[in-house]
Amino acid sequence: MNKFHGTGVAMVTPFQADGQVDYDALQKLIDSLIDGGVEYLVSLGTTGESATLSKEEKKQVFAFTAKAVNKRVLLVAGIAGNNTMETVAEIKAFDTTGYDAILSASPHYNKPTQEGIYQHYKAIAEAAPLPVILYNVPSRTGTSVSAETTVRLANDFKNIIGIKEASGSFDLLNQLLRDKPEDFMVISGDDPISLQMIAMGAVGVISVVGNALPQQFSTMIRKCLAGDFKGAQASHYSMVEFTRLMFIEGNPAGVKSALKALGICGDTLRLPLVPVSATTADKIKEQLAMVK
């Protein structure tokens, strides 16, 4: 499944000023990302504000995105939840047309044990009509998927093809990259340390920053994957401050501010999220002009 090597972008969902989905801006974003050279796109992950979209809105966004992408790049659907039965039902009902995989974050809020996480993903794997990419993001879910659990899932289910790893734990990464099956993909879910993770054996990134800087970020990742870390370092360090600003007041508030400055979409979010402060927005504009 090396087709998921490189840069994937966890796309924002643009909204109009009244909070409705802005499909014209979504088309503009998709075209910008593909023109920028990214390898694949992720629709309705956390960055897409999936938590505040209705089921009908998700269905419409998924369908529109597949049509807009038109198989120009690979496409991944974010489908997750903390109610396993409901998540499985959503996956079974999902129209896979135009999609290549499902990205599913581990359950939030419930704080399941590792066995509970395993059983959750077991149910998803047995129901999924597409390959599954796990997603470990303990800063949002409240629990971490251990290296042992990930390796167990990778060995037990051939349609679980990788994990988006955003724990930030190099101890976990060391164990996971040492013990995983050879063809199981570890994908960075943490923009600031993607270079470091690829040096350890990750195959790429699912990026937030890439929404605004698709060409710069995907070029850096390709250099990393080619072993040209010295060449990648200049780009990496030129994006350090911009990347920090993307998350300083929350995601996707930061990257939507950057996209507004670029004229791609507005910075409207759905409550409880709000736009970044004017001070941060000004800093983001300044950094956009400095990134190489």
Side-chain angles (χ1 to χ4, degrees), residues 145-160:
V145 183
S146 70
E148 292 85 355
T149 298
T150 300
V151 171
R152 182 183 172 196
L153 287 162
N155 283 319
D156 289 354
F157 302 98
K158 294 305 177 188
N159 63 333
I160 295 180

Side-chain angles (χ1 to χ4, degrees), residues 117-253:
I117 292 171
Y118 175 88
Q119 293 296 334
H120 173 83
Y121 278 126
K122 177 177 184 287
I124 286 174
E126 290 174 345
L130 292 173
V132 175
I133 301 171
L134 313 177
Y135 183 14
N136 184 30
V137 56
S139 63
R140 289 187 179 273
T141 64
T143 54
S144 183
V145 183
S146 70
E148 292 85 355
T149 298
T150 300
V151 171
R152 182 183 172 196
L153 287 162
N155 283 319
D156 289 354
F157 302 98
K158 294 305 177 188
N159 63 333
I160 295 180
I161 61 170
I163 185 167
K164 178 183 177 183
E165 175 51 55
S167 68
S169 168
F170 282 92
D171 181 53
L172 185 154
L173 281 166
N174 282 329
Q175 296 176 58
L176 176 56
L177 288 161
R178 178 193 65 194
D179 298 337
K180 71 177 185 67
E182 184 177 356
D183 60 350
F184 182 80
M185 299 179 297
V186 176
I187 300 166
S188 171
D190 206 349
D191 283 323
I193 58 171
S194 292
L195 183 151
Q196 296 90 324
M197 287 180 65
I198 292 172
M200 295 170 68
V203 301
V205 62
I206 294 176
S207 173
V208 173
V209 171
N211 279 281
L213 303 174
Q215 190 273 330
Q216 296 94 325
F217 209 87
S218 62
T219 298
M220 183 199 75
I221 295 298
R222 280 190 287 273
K223 286 181 179 179
C224 291
L225 290 171
D228 180 15
F229 291 102
K230 186 173 176 114
Q233 284 173 4
S235 294
H236 169 77
Y237 288 119
S238 78
M239 289 187 278
V240 164
E241 183 59 20
F242 180 81
T243 300
R244 190 184 72 82
L245 288 167
M246 290 301 93
F247 302 99
I248 195 170
E249 292 187 35
N251 175 46

Side-chain angles (χ1 to χ4, degrees), residues 34 50 77 93 127 143 202 208 211 256 283 285 287-288:
I34 294 173
S50 54
T143 54
V208 173
N211 279 281
K256 278 195 168 180
K283 290 179 180 177
K285 288 180 186 177
Q287 285 299 313
L288 271 173

